[in-house]
Amino acid sequence: ILFYRLIDRILVALTWRLFNLKLGLIFGLIFIFTPHISAYSITAGSYGFALFFFSLALLFYFWDFNKIEKSTQIKKNFRLGGGSIFFALAFLCRNAFLLSFVPFIIYDFYKTKSLKRATVFIIPFVILVGAVLIPDFLAGYPHKYLGKYIGQKAEMFGWDGHCFPDPYTYYFEREEYVNKVRDTARGDVASHLLKYGHKLSFKSKVLIYIDSTKYYIKNFFRLITFGGPVMIAFMFVGLLYLFKQRRNLFNLFTFWFIFWLLVLIYKKTSNYNHFLEVSFPLILLSSLGIYQLFKYLNTTLSISQNKKYLFISFLFIAILGHLIIANKWVFHERYNTSKIDKVLS
């Protein structure tokens, strides 16, 4: 939990840098009470280190996003290279963060048209990742996600929780389980059956992509992810503000989200934890929408300033209360799906 609070402080500083302190404080509180952030903050060994390094990467990259002309080239390259190193560390902690590094490379090159800047951005990432992974590959150590690109078989990686319900089924009842679920498998189970070389019908293959699309759209709007339709509505308000006032951020955030979603669907995934990879831009958008609402109320309400502050404070507490209730339901669902009652019985 304390580790996620540190991540929160880094992203608050980044929001302050990009916008202002008031929005930074709003973002900090919304981030803390966002349901899927709360759920993973108590899960040791999950996304903690990856999010920490990724937050530092964002801080380095965005530090001069609004004030590029005020920095020397050396400082720009230092921050760009530093960001690349932290992107690499995030990727080494969780390979899925590669999906959030590639959009930055593409957008940055599209915006600047500078091969030199792209080189500074990419080379530290390649060197650090190569220094870690190449010795493992040369030694023959299996890599669950990248090994298939160098000829490693899926069976080298042992039990796969995406496909098989438990290690016993994988090691002792694999064929019986596959024969049982082959014709009805959907989502992650179906996609991993393909990975293990099992043949599926054309209809099943198409359904994998449909299921993946439905999964991410459905869970994006769920109460237990970002807070449901209320917070999604604030996201669209924030997105509209960026479109009108900060087109550079609008372009980056929309491209980042679309790229992330399309690749996840192409890879036939259906994993709730992938929402953590785009938590910063989405929570920032909802915080920005809330901030714009408060600014509008402050300028339009025909009451005394003290009453305005009191009303806006009450409204913000109500929003946080909504997120607290959402937190209650996310923990309720995690308990119901954990099978902990069977373990303890």
Side-chain angles (χ1 to χ4, degrees):
I1 294 175
L2 292 177
F3 201 60
Y4 272 75
R5 298 296 76 83
L6 177 59
I7 295 169
D8 177 63
R9 299 300 180 270
I10 294 171
L11 295 179
V12 166
L14 174 55
T15 306
W16 183 4
R17 177 71 176 180
L18 287 173
F19 294 93
N20 55 60
L21 178 58
K22 291 180 181 179
L23 180 56
L25 295 176
I26 292 173
F27 171 89
L29 289 171
I30 298 299
F31 183 87
I32 288 173
F33 290 108
T34 295
H36 80 287
I37 296 293
S38 300
Y40 281 96
S41 68
I42 63 170
T43 306
S46 180
Y47 265 67
F49 280 104
L51 273 178
F52 172 71
F53 291 128
F54 188 66
S55 300
L56 289 174
L58 295 177
L59 186 66
F60 271 72
Y61 181 82
F62 281 116
W63 189 257
D64 282 329
F65 205 70
N66 301 328
K67 309 175 178 63
I68 294 178
E69 72 282 358
K70 294 186 178 181
S71 294
T72 64
Q73 192 62 46
I74 294 177
K75 289 182 178 179
K76 292 180 190 178
N77 291 338
F78 171 78
R79 293 186 183 118
L80 196 64
S84 180
I85 290 172
F86 286 117
F87 274 121
L89 291 172
F91 165 71
L92 291 170
C93 291
R94 281 281 179 173
N95 68 296
F97 278 94
L98 181 63
L99 301 185
S100 293
F101 178 55
V102 174
F104 278 83
I105 297 173
I106 297 173
Y107 174 80
D108 196 85
F109 181 73
Y110 172 79
K111 180 183 176 183
T112 63
K113 305 294 191 298
S114 172
L115 283 174
K116 180 179 179 181
R117 181 176 169 86
T119 302
V120 173
F121 199 19
I122 295 172
I123 291 301
F125 182 95
V126 173
I127 292 175
L128 182 54
V129 171
V132 174
L133 295 183
I134 290 176
D136 286 349
F137 289 150
L138 293 177
Y141 295 131
H143 192 284
K144 187 172 184 179
Y145 297 101
L146 301 179
K148 64 180 180 180
Y149 298 109
I150 59 170
Q152 293 180 349
K153 301 298 184 182
E155 286 75 9
M156 294 178 62
F157 314 132
W159 171 55
D160 190 336
H162 290 290
C163 184
F164 299 94
D166 51 66
Y168 182 88
T169 301
Y170 175 80
Y171 288 108
F172 302 106
E173 298 179 354
R174 188 187 314 176
E175 292 305 318
E176 294 89 337
Y177 175 78
V178 170
N179 292 331
K180 179 181 178 181
V181 304
R182 178 185 284 124
D183 296 330
T184 58
R186 304 285 291 268
D188 262 11
V189 175
S191 65
H192 281 71
L193 285 177
L194 285 175
K195 186 179 77 172
Y196 282 95
H198 299 284
K199 295 185 180 299
L200 298 179
S201 66
F202 176 77
K203 178 181 177 182
S204 296
K205 293 178 181 178
V206 173
L207 286 175
I208 295 174
Y209 293 103
I210 295 175
D211 288 343
S212 182
T213 304
K214 289 166 58 178
Y215 178 87
Y216 287 110
I217 293 175
K218 176 183 176 181
N219 279 278
F220 175 71
F221 286 95
R222 290 187 73 189
L223 179 71
I224 63 172
T225 306
F226 290 102
V230 172
M231 302 308 294
I232 301 300
F234 283 125
M235 287 183 194
F236 282 108
V237 174
L239 193 65
L240 180 62
Y241 172 82
L242 291 186
F243 178 78
K244 293 181 177 180
Q245 303 293 332
R246 302 286 294 277
R247 189 63 63 88
N248 54 351
L249 278 177
F250 172 86
N251 292 337
L252 176 55
F253 284 177
T254 51
F255 175 65
W256 178 2
F257 182 81
I258 292 171
F259 181 90
W260 167 85
L261 180 61
L262 292 179
V263 173
L264 289 179
I265 294 171
Y266 172 75
K267 298 296 290 183
K268 304 179 288 292
T269 66
S270 301
N271 299 327
Y272 180 72
N273 53 17
H274 281 305
F275 283 104
L276 289 170
E277 297 146 25
V278 289
S279 57
F280 170 71
L282 296 179
I283 296 174
L284 177 59
L285 286 176
S286 61
S287 303
L288 186 57
I290 293 169
Y291 178 70
Q292 292 303 313
L293 173 63
F294 291 168
K295 283 183 64 177
Y296 174 78
L297 293 175
N298 191 44
T299 56
T300 57
L301 289 177
S302 300
I303 54 178
S304 67
Q305 197 64 37
N306 288 337
K307 290 182 179 179
K308 288 182 183 179
Y309 290 149
L310 185 63
F311 177 75
I312 290 173
S313 298
F314 174 80
L315 187 59
F316 189 52
I317 292 172
I319 294 172
L320 294 180
H322 168 76
L323 291 176
I324 290 172
I325 293 173
N327 274 267
K328 180 257 186 187
W329 285 110
V330 73
F331 288 117
H332 176 78
E333 176 157 315
R334 286 174 73 87
Y335 177 82
N336 284 344
T337 57
S338 67
K339 301 180 181 179
I340 190 65
D341 52 337
K342 294 182 179 180
V343 174
L344 296 177
S345 63

